[in-house]
Amino acid sequence: MNNNRREFLKTLGLTGIGLSIGLDGFSKNASLKKLSPATVALEINPFIIIENTGKITLVNSRPDMGQGSTQAVPSLLAEELEVSLDQVSIIQSDGRSKYGSQQSGGSSSVRGLWMPLRKAGAAAKEMLIKAAAEKWGVNAADCYAEAGKIYLKGTQKSLTYGEVADLASTYEVPKNPKLKDPKDFKILGKFNKRLDVPDRVTGKAVYGIDAEIPGMVFAKVVHSPRIHDSIASIDDAAARKVVGVLDVIKIERAMPHTKVDAVAVIAQNQWAALKGAKALNINWKSESSKYLNQNTSEYFEAAYAAAKKPGIRAEEKGDFDANFETATQKLEAVYETPFLAHAAIEAENATVHIKDDGSVEVWAPIQGPDGALSQVAQYLGVSEEKVKINVTLLGGSFGRKAYMDFLNEACDIARKIKKPVKVLWTKEDDITQGPYRPAMLSRLQGVIDNGRGTAFHHQAIGESIAGQVFNGLRPNTADDWLSGELSQENNEYGFGINKVSYSRVKTSIPVVWWRSVYASNFGWGQECFIDEMAHEAKKDPLEFRLSLLKNAPRFTNVLNLLAEKADYKTPLEAGKARGIAVFRSFDSISAACVFVSKTDSGIKIDKVISVIDCGMYVNPDNVKAQTEGNIVMGIQAATKGGIIFENNQCVQSNYHDYNILRNSEIPKMEIHVVENYEKPGGVGEPGLPPIAPALGNAIFNLTGKRERKLPLVL
């Protein structure tokens, strides 16, 4: 990468540097430091640049996969800097470590950047005001900032930020700039149009699939239907006769936990690569004896066997087992969730160019440019300084594009053919090859005493993402990611006796995060079982929850607001019912009420009301949009069926047999956002976990039959 200052500024489209401020990390207490032009050119940090022309540029460290980071991130800056959103330009970070964490996932963008970027904007504003005051020979207290200018109180005098940027750059960066009172926000918490929407609608926006570079060839990778098979032989004679096919080579699919054989057809265009791939005759050698639980039936058999045994204790308050043993009123159930594919509209793709000087340039829709940079460098055996990551927009991801096996494939091919190459997976690759949301069981036990829930145990059972993907789970240890979702501190149900345990069931079916990670698995079991306990106690499910959450004001506020908006206390007519659920994930609390009715053909979902308390937020419209997306994916996960492996291979292959929710099936949705000044929580995922259990509870209230296994049959 050429770090010449002139080239750097040319790349950014900047004409002159005035004031630039970098963030030293992205923690709440991140320090600020002023960046000289030379430092900016050589050591790219998260920064704000104010040019002499007044142009403001921000480096966005969180890729946009539909969650709106291209608006949310500059909004944090613009609020404190007193500029409008249309005055801010934004460029994407390229994976360098000085930008801090660059992973879009875990609903972390606004949560992680809320204080650091506001602090950077406030510091820049103070420096600009000080510079204007010096030019006018007045006190800084007599000046104020508004709309990209500094004004002198009581006069008509004003200076643009660009006019004072050079002088401001000579000052020390304030260590503790004064932040605005949230009550005075003009942008944060207010509706603002997404300025990036027109380009997305008109097709001007650039996604990974759109990347094109001179001299690029295309590659279609052929994977074994049985993911872990090796190649016995390749007959490529017919493939090589396809017009446009240039070569056929053996490559590898390098996943985080293993490597498997694959074949790449190289061609002049994508169509020729696809046609050539279909003409290949590959003899795959089964390696099933080396792998564990490759069929879903085997996996669930092992999981249900584990449910009959004690798990590894992750958390316990009181002696649950002793209490359960002697209890007179108790209940127990096992809830099941399937493997799920991510099935994003844009399939996995990457374009890689390994240049003659040994440097590597990548164009790809990835969730974490920092992880991609280090992965590419390690995989190709080059220094990180020789790798440049160009992050495009992502056409959906939901966790999948943080698992960068497709990028490794492009690197392997580019290394072998010594040409820039674009690898584009098909939807069949995406569905059949994984990775998937892990299938999980929830074994639940509860004790009732005098109409109150007094003891609760949640045993999480299934494969560990940390264990499989990162080999990061020690034997006889509970997965922290699972226990964190289920801890009493997180859900705040006031059971006097509470236990969380975990049983790992290994599988060779590749797994990774899926939207809301484990919360979508365990919200299903927990919230349906809470309803079961309420009915056992002969209590209304809402009142039963409120009694357990009497010391959790944010939870009770969410549930009471949900009850109000759902008109919960008004009886429904015959043939109709509703169900509720509440769950906290990613520092946000979300509750849902699902309305259902009987029809001649089964059960119809009529309406979903969702309430979310995500603390302070950027844009209410985006909060609602993300929650609507969560409702759709939540219903889909609950009703459309999961991934099934038979004979060591995936049964589903595309949208025709891995069904997603269609427009005609989406019910009416009503979203309510709680207003408060709590610290920001996540938005992209928390609305999903309550949907399936609220639907399951509604179906029970409608039919009297308790379903404990997803998918639900409507």
Side-chain angles (χ1 to χ4, degrees), residues 218 232 347 445 469 502:
F218 296 79
Q445 297 174 295
V469 178
Y502 170 59

Side-chain angles (χ1 to χ4, degrees), residues 246-319:
L246 302 173
D247 203 355
V248 178
I249 61 174
K250 180 181 176 181
I251 67 163
E252 65 180 14
R253 178 191 179 195
M255 294 178 277
H257 65 294
T258 190
K259 294 180 180 179
V260 297
D261 287 348
V263 180
V265 176
I266 317 300
Q268 295 173 336
N269 55 69
Q270 188 65 37
W271 175 249
L274 288 169
K275 193 172 180 181
K278 290 181 180 180
L280 279 177
N281 184 9
I282 304 173
N283 182 20
W284 298 98
K285 178 183 176 183
S286 175
E287 301 286 354
S288 60
S289 61
K290 300 178 182 178
Y291 295 95
L292 184 67
N293 292 329
Q294 288 193 92
N295 295 314
T296 46
S297 59
E298 297 167 349
Y299 175 80
F300 278 117
E301 183 179 353
Y304 278 98
K308 297 177 181 178
K309 302 175 183 178
I312 299 166
R313 185 173 65 179
E315 171 186 296
E316 187 163 15
K317 176 184 177 183
D319 189 336

Side-chain angles (χ1 to χ4, degrees), residues 655-670:
Y655 290 135
H656 71 288
D657 54 9
Y658 184 78
N659 292 322
I660 61 174
L661 209 64
R662 310 292 172 171
N663 284 342
S664 60
E665 299 173 292
I666 296 174
K668 294 179 181 178
M669 295 182 282
E670 189 177 305

Side-chain angles (χ1 to χ4, degrees), residues 317-607:
K317 176 184 177 183
D319 189 336
F320 177 85
D321 292 342
N323 184 271
F324 190 79
E325 181 70 25
T326 59
T328 57
Q329 191 176 12
K330 56 189 176 182
L331 63 163
E332 184 170 2
V334 177
Y335 281 79
E336 177 184 320
T337 55
F339 291 96
L340 292 179
H342 301 77
I345 297 298
E346 182 193 30
E348 294 70 39
N349 64 88
T351 302
V352 175
H353 186 192
I354 301 177
K355 302 177 183 178
D356 292 339
D357 62 1
S359 63
V360 184
E361 191 161 7
V362 173
W363 295 260
I366 47 178
Q367 287 185 227
D370 49 347
L373 188 147
S374 60
Q375 177 175 300
V376 169
Q378 182 178 7
Y379 186 75
L380 293 176
V382 301
S383 67
E384 292 190 1
E385 288 69 28
K386 286 195 170 186
V387 180
K388 181 180 180 182
I389 305 293
N390 301 286
V391 182
T392 63
L393 293 173
L394 288 73
S397 178
F398 316 115
R400 173 59 179 93
K401 288 164 186 164
Y403 188 100
M404 292 175 283
D405 50 344
F406 57 95
L407 178 54
N408 286 340
E409 289 183 340
C411 288
D412 192 25
I413 297 168
R415 172 173 54 189
K416 289 175 177 174
I417 67 172
K418 302 188 185 309
K419 292 180 181 179
V421 62
K422 175 189 279 188
V423 169
L424 175 60
W425 282 31
T426 63
K427 190 55 59 185
E428 285 79 8
D429 295 318
D430 180 39
I431 300 295
T432 64
Q433 296 295 310
Y436 310 98
R437 183 193 77 172
M440 306 293 290
L441 299 183
S442 290
R443 177 190 175 218
L444 297 139
Q445 297 174 295
V447 175
I448 305 296
D449 187 8
N450 293 321
R452 297 181 303 110
T454 59
F456 183 79
H457 172 216
H458 194 147
Q459 180 181 356
I461 303 162
E463 179 59 290
S464 162
I465 296 171
Q468 186 194 91
V469 178
F470 302 107
N471 194 27
L473 188 64
R474 298 189 306 274
N476 302 314
T477 303
D479 188 327
D480 287 341
W481 288 1
L482 279 74
S483 57
E485 297 279 9
L486 303 178
S487 68
Q488 191 163 28
E489 179 183 5
N490 184 65
N491 63 51
E492 292 196 56
Y493 280 128
F495 293 104
I497 298 173
N498 189 81
K499 181 180 179 181
V500 178
S501 64
Y502 170 59
S503 299
R504 183 178 180 186
V505 177
K506 294 183 179 182
T507 178
S508 295
I509 298 172
V511 299
V512 80
W513 314 279
W514 188 88
R515 193 172 189 173
S516 80
V517 197
Y518 293 117
S520 67
N521 295 98
F522 300 126
W524 161 244
Q526 173 182 293
E527 287 301 295
C528 286
F529 192 72
I530 292 293
D531 256 44
E532 288 201 55
M533 292 183 71
H535 289 293
E536 178 70 20
K538 294 181 169 43
K539 300 289 185 180
D540 174 81
L542 173 64
E543 296 304 320
F544 186 76
R545 285 177 172 82
L546 290 173
S547 69
L548 289 167
L549 294 165
K550 59 185 178 182
N551 295 319
R554 290 182 70 182
F555 270 94
T556 56
N557 184 44
V558 166
L559 283 171
N560 284 327
L561 181 58
L562 180 71
E564 174 192 333
K565 299 301 181 181
D567 197 14
Y568 185 83
K569 294 184 179 180
T570 300
L572 297 174
E573 61 187 79
K576 295 182 179 293
R578 61 193 154 210
I580 63 168
V582 63
F583 201 84
R584 172 154 60 193
S585 58
F586 310 100
D587 292 333
S588 291
I589 302 166
S590 180
C593 183
V594 175
F595 293 80
V596 296
S597 60
K598 289 183 178 179
T599 68
D600 293 339
S601 58
I603 297 172
K604 179 187 176 185
I605 302 173
D606 297 315
K607 185 177 181 180

